[in-house]
Amino acid sequence: MALVEPWLLEILRCPVCRAPVTEDEAASVLRCTAADHVYPVVEGVPNMLPPEDR
Ligand SMILES: [Zn+2]
């Protein structure tokens, strides 16, 4: 089962890099494809706050 809906994953971007993100289902996170930014997903809702603002 996907972490987030496919249509949502398609439009989500890393707020720091503006790069697409990919799912890491094992870790329940979205990962930035440009840098080492990680966004937790809780019950299907990704926390897209920049890591430095959390
Ligand atoms: Zn990033």
Side-chain angles (χ1 to χ4, degrees):
M1 198 189 132
L3 285 177
V4 298
E5 300 283 338
W7 63 266
L8 180 57
L9 189 65
E10 221 166 276
I11 58 174
L12 284 175
R13 295 290 181 272
C14 172
V16 181
C17 310
R18 311 288 175 201
V21 294
T22 58
E23 280 184 326
D24 182 341
E25 293 187 41
S28 282
V29 296
L30 301 182
R31 292 187 188 279
C32 172
T33 54
D36 188 24
H37 300 128
V38 174
Y39 301 93
V41 180
V42 179
E43 292 181 10
V45 180
N47 180 346
M48 298 308 288
L49 280 174
E52 60 265 33
D53 290 352
R54 257 179 246 146

